[in-house]
Amino acid sequence: MKEYKIDLHIHTNVNPHAFSTLEENISAAAKKGMEVIAITNHGPALQDTPHWWHLVNIAILPEIIDGVRVVKGVEANILDTNGKLDINQRVYDHIELVLAGFHVVDEYGAIDDIEKNTTAILSLIKKQKADIIVHLGNPIFPVDYKRIVKIAKENKVALEVNNTSLGTITRVGSRKNCKTMLELAKEERCFIALGTDAHYSGHIGEFQRAIELLNEVDYPEELIINSSKEAFEEFLKLRQELRSKKVDS
């Protein structure tokens, strides 16, 4: 089983439902030989998230800490069908990587409408406001994967295979949907990202369930942006160029 040394979805305990500090996460990543980690704390629409100043101030971190490339990111929340996210322009100006996905937040309202959810994702992708769309397999937010994969491919946005979603505690029932998404993404040759969604430092880099699913589908290695540091940095440069041109409110 291939080892992936890049984890693009990690939380620290500034989100109180996570359990490890920034330094604990970096230390754990260094001990595991990780090359790149992205710190992607939640945007402010969730109840247990920091003030947006925290998301801006992550820019003070060095690029390399203990030999690990530390990417300054955010996991933003989708707020409406127009692709609105819960981060402001100041955050965009200081952040390297924008993850975005559905969470149960008051502003979004009803979550079980497949057309509403699909429209929200398509709007977000077309506006180039996010680099990676996360945990799309969540069955409580039904979407049309075929339409989403096609537009993601056209706009060079990555879709995440979230290792946590493939377990038995969080977003239960995601595996079938993730496999469907991957099969369609393989046909379109869409970028895929791997994320552990680690809320505890010991889970960083633990991709076993995601890798099993990738192998099941025989997903092309060259389309997985975690496949090498070079592949990730190339994707990041591409996304920053596209996002800088199209970001709006």
Side-chain angles (χ1 to χ4, degrees):
M1 183 177 290
K2 177 180 171 63
E3 288 189 353
Y4 289 87
K5 297 298 185 180
I6 300 171
D7 192 342
L8 301 178
H9 192 160
I10 296 170
H11 296 276
T12 74
N13 65 353
V14 299
N15 295 141
H17 66 290
F19 298 96
S20 302
T21 66
L22 173 68
E23 290 187 340
E24 288 168 341
N25 281 340
I26 294 171
S27 177
K31 288 177 182 176
K32 289 186 174 187
M34 301 296 292
E35 296 178 351
V36 180
I37 61 171
I39 303 300
T40 55
N41 288 316
H42 289 290
L46 290 183
Q47 292 181 340
D48 70 340
T49 52
H51 193 280
W52 64 265
W53 292 349
H54 173 90
L55 300 174
V56 170
N57 205 41
I58 196 173
I60 69 170
L61 296 180
E63 182 173 300
I64 307 292
I65 305 176
D66 291 346
V68 180
R69 164 84 160 96
V70 179
V71 178
K72 293 82 171 176
V74 63
E75 184 184 5
N77 297 286
I78 300 170
L79 300 181
D80 64 24
T81 56
N82 293 318
K84 179 182 178 182
L85 298 177
D86 63 337
I87 52 177
N88 59 32
Q89 188 61 45
R90 290 281 300 281
V91 176
Y92 273 115
D93 290 342
H94 289 85
I95 220 78
E96 293 181 273
L97 184 70
V98 178
L99 277 55
F102 289 123
H103 296 91
V104 179
V105 295
D106 290 341
E107 188 168 342
Y108 188 73
I111 66 174
D112 59 353
D113 184 331
I114 187 170
E115 186 59 32
K116 174 186 176 182
N117 297 339
T118 301
T119 298
I121 296 290
L122 296 179
S123 298
L124 174 61
I125 292 172
K126 290 175 182 177
K127 290 182 177 181
Q128 296 287 12
K129 295 178 70 174
D131 307 311
I132 301 172
I133 309 300
V134 296
H135 46 66
L136 266 177
N138 191 351
I140 72 169
F141 287 94
V143 296
D144 184 331
Y145 293 103
K146 187 170 185 177
R147 291 165 63 193
I148 288 172
V149 165
K150 183 176 186 300
I151 296 301
K153 158 66 176 179
E154 290 175 1
N155 288 274
K156 300 178 174 62
V157 170
L159 304 177
E160 182 197 56
V161 179
N162 186 295
N163 194 73
T164 296
S165 294
L166 302 176
T168 59
I169 297 176
T170 303
R171 296 181 287 274
V172 176
S174 293
R175 194 181 195 281
K176 180 181 177 181
N177 291 338
C178 288
K179 185 176 182 182
T180 296
M181 180 185 78
L182 280 175
E183 289 170 341
L184 292 165
K186 181 180 177 181
E187 292 178 14
E188 290 285 349
R189 296 190 59 79
C190 181
F191 286 128
I192 290 295
L194 301 182
T196 60
D197 205 349
H199 285 61
Y200 158 62
S201 62
H203 292 158
I204 292 171
E206 300 296 320
F207 294 115
Q208 290 90 337
R209 292 185 292 268
I211 293 171
E212 287 172 6
L213 188 55
L214 288 170
N215 290 342
E216 212 173 295
V217 176
D218 192 23
Y219 207 81
E221 186 76 14
E222 66 271 17
L223 297 176
I224 303 171
I225 66 173
N226 309 61
S227 59
S228 70
K229 190 173 182 180
E230 293 73 23
F232 169 68
E233 293 291 355
E234 184 178 337
F235 173 80
L236 189 62
K237 181 180 179 182
L238 170 66
R239 287 300 317 152
Q240 289 173 339
E241 291 173 355
L242 291 170
R243 183 155 43 88
S244 68
K245 294 175 183 177
K246 295 291 286 291
V247 165
D248 53 18
S249 59

